[in-house]
Amino acid sequence: MTEGKSCSDCSSGSCSAKGKKQGETDQEFMERQELQRQLCQIKNKIVVLSGKGGVGKSTVSANLALSLAARGKMTGLMDVDIHGPSIPRILGLEGFPIEALQEKLVPATVGDRLKVMSIGLLLRNKEDAVIWRGPMKMGVIKQFLKDVHWGELDYLIVDSPPGTGDEPLSVVQLMEDLDGAVIVTTPQDLSVIDVRRSIQFCRTVKLPVLGVIENMSGFICPHCGKTTEIFKSGGGEQMAREMNVPFLGRIPLDPEIARACDEGKPYITAFAESESAKAFAAALDPMIEKMEGLR
Ligand code: ADP
């Protein structure tokens, strides 16, 4: 459906926003249609998940969004990590002034093809803690989808908090036509066990797993360029094989990535020639090409 068109003019036979659900109030129905009108303008929707925190899920989300934008795709990046929003820091957007226009928030931008919204952009002080319970979290995710000027997008990447709690569940419930999930893990056994739960979560909610990325896999020495396996690598690949989901690739542990994230430099585009950026591209490009119907 195109912008401005109403749900009643829409020809889709399958959209659940066409009719009122049993027990739904007029207000709830109108809100659901408004949400659907926004989502209808977004061609592809991907959620990035991880079993636990600190494995580089936001780093992967940001670099996936950057590489899509670099390919000329209009891209949105929605950070719903309400308790630890790190996307504004990774993309150098801290302090970006968020304004409202016609009762909707105008997202931050990186270049002219990447739009970003994060709770971190709305907090006055970045140390402010957000203490919200489940229904409030669902409320803010719904607002991020419904009340942000995303406009027409080729891709929306959703950076979800770690685990399988309220936020990923809300994302799945609110975005009925999600294309799938990218799951980020590290080689250590524990996070590989945690990631099995994420895969199980996707199966339970019938969300396709687009693939698993093993991040922080081997350390690239900044002096000699040699790779050292700190943890036994390959766990993610083996686990993906066992669980019958695609393995996308390994990203090394590289101090350049950490530095770029801390300094807010868009890693995959600013350091495109580095070995690690090539590893990111090798992991992400085949998935993007598959979604674009190029493979
Ligand atoms: P998560 O979203 O899973 O909590 P982040 O993406 O915020 O994790 O990453 C956690 C920290 O690890 C950040 O400081 C980030 O810069 C760093 N990091 C992520 N991936 C790598 C990597 N491949 N090499 C070096 N540092 C990394």
Side-chain angles (χ1 to χ4, degrees):
M1 194 175 70
T2 50
E3 196 164 11
K5 235 181 161 189
S6 80
C7 287
S8 48
D9 298 335
C10 175
S11 58
S12 164
S14 58
C15 179
S16 69
K18 286 220 88 166
K20 211 166 149 181
K21 285 185 181 167
Q22 219 182 359
E24 198 170 43
T25 64
D26 287 347
Q27 176 70 23
E28 286 164 346
F29 181 45
M30 265 165 51
E31 276 189 15
R32 201 159 56 78
Q33 287 197 323
E34 175 62 23
L35 172 69
Q36 203 51 45
R37 270 197 292 277
Q38 288 264 103
L39 293 176
C40 278
Q41 296 182 69
I42 305 171
K43 285 192 202 131
N44 303 290
K45 305 165 186 91
I46 299 174
V47 61
V48 183
L49 301 173
S50 69
K52 64 169 195 170
V55 301
K57 173 186 48 59
S58 298
T59 306
V60 168
S61 304
N63 283 286
L64 172 58
L66 285 165
S67 52
L68 286 165
R71 283 167 167 259
K73 304 289 165 199
M74 277 309 294
T75 306
L77 175 57
M78 186 172 99
D79 175 13
V80 299
D81 196 339
I82 288 163
H83 300 290
S86 46
I87 291 294
R89 176 179 52 84
I90 293 175
L91 291 176
L93 294 172
E94 281 176 329
F96 193 103
I98 296 294
E99 288 165 5
L101 183 72
Q102 290 155 352
E103 295 180 22
K104 283 196 197 311
L105 295 173
V106 181
T109 47
V110 178
D112 50 11
R113 288 192 214 95
L114 177 55
K115 299 181 181 181
V116 182
M117 185 47 75
S118 161
I119 196 78
L121 294 169
L122 304 176
L123 297 176
R124 247 174 302 144
N125 185 334
K126 69 176 175 182
E127 275 89 39
D128 283 351
V130 179
I131 308 167
W132 282 338
R133 300 205 184 281
M136 289 174 81
K137 290 185 204 165
M138 173 111 163
V140 90
I141 295 171
K142 193 193 273 183
Q143 271 197 296
F144 272 12
L145 288 169
K146 190 169 72 64
D147 300 333
V148 169
H149 279 287
W150 293 114
E152 294 201 1
L153 293 179
D154 295 305
Y155 285 87
L156 180 66
I157 308 301
V158 183
D159 182 18
S160 170
T164 51
D166 290 324
E167 297 91 331
L169 194 58
S170 300
V171 169
V172 173
Q173 285 170 346
L174 291 166
M175 300 170 78
E176 290 173 10
D177 60 343
L178 265 175
D179 291 276
V182 171
I183 299 180
V184 183
T185 184
T186 56
Q188 297 96 307
D189 281 340
L190 181 63
S191 63
V192 172
I193 290 166
D194 285 332
V195 84
R196 284 176 194 263
R197 288 196 199 110
S198 302
I199 296 176
Q200 208 44 54
F201 167 83
C202 292
R203 295 214 164 118
T204 310
V205 298
K206 301 197 167 37
L207 179 65
V209 177
L210 299 172
V212 172
I213 290 185
E214 187 177 297
N215 188 30
M216 307 189 185
S217 181
F219 170 70
I220 295 195
C221 173
H223 306 293
C224 68
K226 227 177 115 186
T227 303
T228 309
E229 301 297 344
I230 297 177
F231 302 104
K232 188 176 64 154
S233 74
E237 186 166 12
Q238 194 187 329
M239 183 272 310
R241 205 178 314 119
E242 279 167 27
M243 297 208 60
N244 205 15
V245 293
F247 181 73
L248 299 176
R250 297 196 180 96
I251 315 291
L253 185 63
D254 182 346
E256 282 294 335
I257 297 180
R259 194 169 317 124
C261 289
D262 281 343
E263 292 173 3
K265 289 195 187 134
Y267 183 75
I268 203 167
T269 42
F271 299 91
E273 290 312 312
S274 70
E275 285 308 310
S276 298
K278 286 181 190 157
F280 260 119
L284 301 175
D285 287 356
M287 181 190 76
I288 297 170
E289 281 161 13
K290 200 165 158 193
M291 292 199 68
E292 290 287 307
L294 300 175
R295 281 189 183 209

